[in-house]
Amino acid sequence: MSVGEAPAGAPAPIARLKDELASLERAYSPGHHGLWSARRRAELVDAALIELYDVATSTGDRAPRTALVALGGYGRGALSPHSDVDLLLLHDGAETAAVAALTEQLLYPLWDAGFTVGHAVRTPAETVQLAAERLDAATATLDGRLLAGDADLLAAAIDPVLTRLRDDVDGFAERLANDARDRRERFGSTAYLLEPELKEGGGGLRDIHAFGWLQTVRDRPLEDDGVLRAAERDQLAAAEEFLTRVRSALHLESGRRTDRLLREQQDDIADAMGFRDETRLIAADGLMRAIFEHARVVDALTEDVIIGRRHPERAPDPVELSNAGDALALIADAAEHVRPLSPAELDAVEAIASSAELEWSDAIRDAFLRILRAGAGASDGLHALDRTGLLVQLIPEWVDVRCRPQRDPYHRYTVDVHLLRAFDRTSRALSAPDTDDPLEVVTAGHIRERDGALLGALLHDIGKNGEGGHVAVGDRLAATILARMDVEGPTGELARFMVAEHLLLPDTATRRDLGDDDLILDVAARVETPERLAALYLLAKADALATGPSAWTPWRQTLIRELVAKVQRVFERGEMGVEVAERLADAIDMVRELLVGELPPEVERFVLRMPRSYFLSVPPEQIARHYSTIEPDLGRHDVRTSSRPGSRLDTYELLVVAADRPGLLSWIAGALSLAGLSILTAQVFTTEDGVAADLFEVQGAFEPIVGEERWREFRGVLRKAIEGRVSLEHRMTEKRRHYPERSDTPVTVAVDNDASDFFTVIEVGAPDRVGLLYDITRTLSDMELDVHLAKVATYTDRVIDAFYVRDSVGRKLEDAQQTAKVESAMRARLEG
């Protein structure tokens, strides 16, 4: 159906119809074309068709015996602006040429005027046969409405169909159920998809119409048997009115028949329907929320009534509930027995929910936790809380996430549906872990505070309320909710931790270098315990699976599982227990306090840049002194140093800051040696943005007092080495000529791949000599090994150094030939 000018020479009924439809559209804004205007539109089309039929059958030879019948939505007496006008011309099988001529006289004026007409020409017997074969034909026949002609013909078509369906009500109900399932597979859900199909989707208009077909076949109101409650009938009527308004607005705004509301159309439809931006909800999201709220009711009732979970209650037992504790206990019992609430029970619970504001009590909390623990029935229990209004009474924060759309490429569901799906997946993992995922089986066994894990899953995205960053907001809201529930101790702590850190594993795994041991320590420090790590893994998996098919890809799974395994090994080896995590947090807090006079953003950048091992191994007071040297941006060839008296007499603490690159440590060692400085200890750190911050304890090799001139000499040599303007090898050879070496201590080289999950550890023992560290680090550089951490210690005349290294592509030295080559090269350098 479309509105425009009637073509020149159009029959009077058609010209008049076009004018009247145009007037109807002008009388209302697009968003106000609801059921009344749809029915008015059908009445106008009725009048035009009846007049056309009367004219066509009153002229010329005797008219054939026919009946003009409206089908489908038109048969139900409602037409959206661009809906098809579905017609059936019934005839008795005689005078087929006259029937064909009559069909042309009826249809051509409509086609010429731009109307879309769905039409069929059949005998009653053919109609009955088709209805027996196809459900859509049967339901269209049930909607059949006589416009003009022989009423007996229509009765001959409809009565046998109705009789057959009433003889097998259960079979017809099952066909409706299968159709509802199929449409959900094909069109998705109108109740949560961001681009919903308003007519065919689950919870859409077709589901509403199914209740009418079922009632027609049952031949009595569904309320009479308790199949449908009076309140639910009102909800269906409200949903039909609203969804019809949206569909009509979509037709009018797009200028064509379309039933899928696309994202790019939602702003215009929202405006047409009177939605306006709110503080934390844009107009388009307000529109979508309203669609989802209505469609969710229809979807739930379709699940209950059409798909077959609810059975007639001819004499329902009265249900008496005295308070909210009783109501939750009833829902908990139903959840534990995996059964739906009966209509009488729903009435009783809704009466409690609407009677007064509810407050948490021990009984309510215990029943709520019973629902969460109910395993297979837990999700149904939460849905019952939601549909009866108890959930928003108990958790007012739920209002802001309920039916709220998520506009990103990954999320398929509204925030609350996502939360419920993530909860359901976590619940199933805890009660029956997926044996195809060994890590899920292991992590589920680690969780003692199961109530905390379930609450954390249920609330993890509660901060997606339009207020701001959802993690910080969610952490605050979760604390408020848990306090209101009086959930404290380990249960509340785990739940809140999961809300605050639910993105830690996926974000770290997909955005950071999992070969960085400092990163693994950092994650371990934030997680603190194996139980928390297990809970985060189950939630990360549930969160992804509840998001959509693109969120739990094999690549993402592999990275997250690798991260979990590495953090778990840290716990198992005692590298990051609770005490270490607390020590790290305390150290960083102390650094912040010591740098209180600096700009907070720069201090936070410094904290994030520096590796965790730096904060664990360097005292906070020392770190605060390093800040001014490390924090400012660094040029490619810049060298910064700071020095002060060391921990022992006649020693110096030296910090060297330069852009990290292969060979840097060897250049520093060589420059120090050429400047007459011996290295007693060394700690090598690299920032997130590739700046080396290497910390040494040194002493004068020949003169105990080191003045500014020698520091300046060291910096000058190092800059020249970095810029390639000096040969350290040549100058070191010249220097050694004046200082003979002691060779009575043997050289030892050990390559260890078990000491670290991420690096090969090379330990070198050798007699102390001028430039020893330079020789060692130069060899490592020549072998294209990257030094991540160096532990250098001098014992009288013997040095024992340990270096944590990886190859040029970031791997451990797993190949036996490669490790043998490194050992051979090191011995040749130190013994030659």
Side-chain angles (χ1 to χ4, degrees):
M1 224 179 83
S2 62
V3 176
E5 292 186 3
I14 298 300
R16 187 165 53 252
L17 174 62
K18 299 289 280 189
D19 290 341
E20 290 170 331
L21 289 174
S23 177
L24 178 63
E25 291 188 9
R26 288 193 300 269
Y28 301 97
S29 64
H32 289 83
H33 280 255
L35 282 171
W36 182 89
S37 58
R39 289 170 182 142
R40 179 57 182 156
R41 197 174 285 108
E43 290 172 359
L44 295 174
V45 176
D46 284 356
L49 286 172
I50 292 169
E51 188 172 346
L52 279 178
Y53 181 88
D54 288 344
V55 170
T57 57
S58 64
T59 59
D61 298 333
R62 185 176 65 85
R65 184 183 176 218
T66 58
L68 182 61
V69 180
L71 297 180
Y74 181 36
R76 292 187 298 273
L79 277 173
S80 292
H82 289 279
S83 292
D84 292 358
V85 178
D86 289 326
L87 295 172
L88 169 64
L89 186 63
L90 285 169
H91 63 95
D92 61 3
E95 303 179 69
T96 55
V99 170
L102 174 59
T103 303
E104 292 181 359
Q105 287 178 283
L106 291 172
L107 298 182
Y108 274 98
L110 293 170
W111 288 334
D112 290 343
F115 289 94
T116 303
V117 182
H119 68 285
V121 181
R122 291 193 293 264
T123 65
E126 290 169 339
T127 300
V128 171
Q129 180 60 37
L130 188 63
E133 297 170 356
R134 290 170 37 187
L135 178 64
D136 61 340
T139 56
T141 303
L142 293 179
D143 289 330
R145 178 171 59 89
L146 183 66
L147 295 172
D150 193 327
D152 290 340
L153 276 178
L154 179 58
I158 289 182
D159 290 351
V161 172
L162 198 51
T163 298
R164 178 181 293 175
L165 295 177
R166 285 175 175 168
D167 286 344
D168 185 16
V169 175
D170 290 340
F172 177 67
E174 184 58 30
R175 292 169 72 189
L176 288 180
N178 290 335
D179 177 66
R181 295 187 190 100
D182 291 345
R183 284 187 288 103
R184 280 154 175 74
E185 287 292 323
R186 292 175 58 201
F187 300 102
S189 174
T190 311
Y192 58 74
L193 287 181
L194 194 56
E195 294 187 330
E197 223 289 350
L198 301 171
K199 183 179 177 183
E200 302 288 352
L205 289 163
R206 185 71 75 194
D207 278 351
I208 297 173
H209 302 152
F211 285 88
W213 299 325
L214 183 61
Q215 180 163 294
T216 298
V217 171
R218 292 177 68 88
D219 198 24
R220 58 185 175 273
L222 298 177
E223 293 90 327
D224 288 358
D225 293 336
V227 173
L228 193 68
R229 299 182 294 140
E232 292 168 343
R233 174 71 72 184
D234 293 341
Q235 291 172 329
L236 286 174
E240 183 175 21
E241 170 64 29
F242 186 80
L243 293 177
T244 299
R245 284 179 56 207
V246 178
R247 186 176 182 231
S248 296
L250 182 58
H251 284 197
L252 291 170
E253 291 290 328
S254 64
R256 61 188 178 89
R257 173 191 160 182
T258 177
D259 295 324
R260 187 171 291 281
L261 179 56
L262 303 178
R263 297 187 191 207
E264 59 265 26
Q265 299 168 316
Q266 290 168 14
D267 287 334
D268 291 339
I269 302 303
D271 182 65
M273 295 191 64
F275 287 88
R276 298 294 178 260
D277 290 346
E278 301 175 15
T279 303
R280 290 186 291 162
L281 193 73
I282 62 173
D285 283 357
L287 165 69
M288 299 311 299
R289 167 177 273 183
I291 291 173
F292 297 149
E293 286 173 339
H294 285 291
R296 180 173 298 180
V297 171
V298 177
D299 195 38
L301 289 174
T302 301
E303 287 285 339
D304 284 351
V305 177
I306 303 300
I307 294 179
R309 294 175 58 189
R310 182 182 290 175
H311 301 290
E313 291 186 313
R314 298 194 179 276
D317 295 328
V319 178
E320 295 183 1
L321 302 173
S322 59
N323 54 53
D326 289 347
L328 264 80
L330 173 65
I331 295 174
D333 180 76
E336 289 167 348
H337 290 86
V338 197
R339 69 168 181 84
L341 295 180
S342 71
E345 289 172 330
L346 284 170
D347 280 335
V349 173
E350 286 180 356
I352 292 292
S354 62
S355 61
E357 291 188 6
L358 307 182
E359 293 185 0
W360 286 90
S361 65
D362 291 347
I364 288 176
R365 183 185 63 253
D366 292 346
F368 185 79
L369 293 177
R370 281 177 57 200
I371 294 169
L372 298 191
R373 301 179 194 128
S379 183
D380 287 344
L382 287 170
H383 280 291
L385 288 176
D386 179 61
R387 72 187 293 184
T388 58
L390 278 177
L391 190 55
V392 296
Q393 281 273 49
L394 295 170
I395 305 177
E397 295 82 359
W398 198 263
V399 171
D400 287 326
V401 298
R402 191 174 191 274
C403 295
R404 177 182 284 271
Q406 303 193 72
R407 295 183 180 274
D408 64 51
Y410 301 105
H411 280 280
R412 300 181 60 192
Y413 309 106
T414 57
V415 178
D416 62 326
V417 170
H418 169 76
L419 287 172
L420 293 172
R421 291 175 68 90
F423 164 83
D424 181 59
R425 183 62 185 75
T426 303
S427 173
R428 287 189 284 120
L430 289 173
S431 58
D434 180 4
T435 55
D436 290 333
D437 181 357
L439 185 56
E440 180 174 309
V441 176
V442 171
T443 51
H446 274 306
I447 297 176
R448 300 181 303 277
E449 290 294 336
R450 299 204 165 197
D451 288 351
L454 294 170
L455 284 165
L458 180 63
L459 299 176
H460 77 274
D461 271 350
I462 196 69
K464 287 186 174 178
N465 62 1
E467 186 176 336
H470 83 276
V471 175
V473 173
D475 184 24
R476 172 172 55 80
L477 295 180
T480 301
I481 293 166
L482 294 168
R484 189 187 304 128
M485 294 174 64
D486 197 24
V487 173
E488 299 177 337
T491 299
E493 290 169 3
L494 179 59
R496 186 171 176 186
F497 171 79
M498 290 171 68
V499 175
E501 298 288 359
H502 70 274
L503 296 180
L504 176 61
L505 296 184
D507 281 1
T508 302
T510 57
R511 300 177 184 176
R512 302 287 295 277
D513 176 13
L514 298 187
D516 183 350
D517 61 345
D518 284 325
L519 171 69
I520 304 304
L521 287 173
D522 197 7
V523 173
R526 289 172 66 177
V527 174
E528 295 187 357
T529 69
E531 181 181 31
R532 286 183 167 187
L533 179 64
L536 286 188
Y537 174 71
L538 295 184
L539 179 54
K541 182 175 180 179
D543 193 8
L545 291 172
T547 295
S550 61
W552 191 241
T553 60
W555 169 78
R556 193 179 185 91
Q557 295 173 44
T558 299
L559 290 177
I560 291 176
R561 288 168 179 163
E562 179 184 352
L563 173 59
V564 171
K566 288 182 174 180
V567 174
Q568 182 60 35
R569 282 198 292 271
V570 169
F571 289 141
E572 290 169 355
R573 296 183 178 186
E575 298 173 39
M576 184 58 69
V578 174
E579 292 182 3
V580 178
E582 291 176 350
R583 183 161 62 85
L584 174 59
D586 290 344
I588 292 175
D589 286 343
M590 179 63 73
V591 169
R592 290 190 179 105
E593 291 180 12
L594 292 169
L595 295 175
V596 69
E598 304 292 338
L599 294 174
E602 279 73 9
V603 172
E604 290 309 306
R605 188 180 80 142
F606 173 75
V607 168
L608 292 173
R609 287 175 66 209
M610 299 306 295
R612 305 299 94 178
S613 56
Y614 175 71
F615 293 104
L616 288 170
S617 57
V618 180
E621 296 81 2
Q622 196 173 352
I623 293 173
R625 291 195 300 269
H626 295 169
Y627 174 79
S628 59
T629 305
I630 298 174
E631 195 278 330
D633 291 336
L634 188 76
R636 176 66 179 164
H637 297 295
D638 287 353
V639 174
R640 294 195 197 118
T641 66
S642 67
S643 61
R644 66 185 312 276
S647 60
R648 292 173 287 176
L649 182 66
D650 293 333
T651 65
Y652 296 85
E653 171 201 306
L654 172 66
L655 173 66
V656 181
V657 178
D660 195 21
R661 69 200 78 199
L664 177 63
L665 182 58
S666 70
W667 297 337
I668 295 173
L672 285 170
S673 183
L674 291 173
L677 295 162
S678 295
I679 299 172
L680 303 177
T681 65
Q683 293 174 282
V684 179
F685 306 104
T686 305
T687 69
E688 281 290 306
D689 52 351
V691 172
D694 297 346
L695 187 61
F696 303 88
E697 187 172 34
V698 301
Q699 66 181 8
F702 314 109
E703 300 176 12
I705 305 300
V706 180
E708 177 57 31
E709 182 178 346
R710 252 199 290 175
W711 295 125
R712 190 162 45 247
E713 178 185 358
F714 158 67
R715 287 193 296 269
V717 173
L718 180 56
R719 284 195 184 94
K720 290 178 181 178
I722 290 173
E723 295 170 1
R725 295 190 291 117
V726 66
S727 170
L728 291 179
E729 187 75 11
H730 173 73
R731 293 189 59 177
M732 194 63 67
T733 300
E734 290 294 318
K735 191 176 185 68
R736 285 203 187 100
R737 289 177 182 174
H738 302 288
Y739 303 99
E741 301 175 4
R742 298 186 297 273
S743 57
D744 52 332
T745 301
V747 172
T748 60
V749 181
V751 181
D752 187 349
N753 268 316
D754 295 325
S756 170
D757 288 324
F758 319 109
F759 298 91
T760 295
V761 179
I762 300 177
E763 187 177 274
V764 179
D768 192 15
R769 70 182 190 193
V770 171
L772 175 64
L773 184 59
Y774 167 77
D775 287 335
I776 295 173
T777 53
R778 175 62 188 271
T779 303
L780 296 176
S781 178
D782 290 345
M783 301 297 293
E784 297 185 340
L785 299 179
D786 176 46
V787 178
H788 183 77
L789 178 66
K791 300 285 188 178
V792 176
T794 302
Y795 304 92
T796 312
D797 62 348
R798 180 171 176 77
V799 174
I800 300 178
D801 298 344
F803 303 89
Y804 287 63
V805 303
R806 289 185 295 203
D807 64 19
S808 58
V809 293
R811 301 171 302 190
K812 293 173 67 173
L813 312 185
E814 302 285 6
D815 182 75
Q817 290 184 342
Q818 186 182 21
T819 57
K821 188 176 180 181
V822 171
E823 184 176 350
S824 175
M826 187 68 71
R827 288 184 177 278
R829 177 88 182 196
L830 299 183
E831 293 175 348

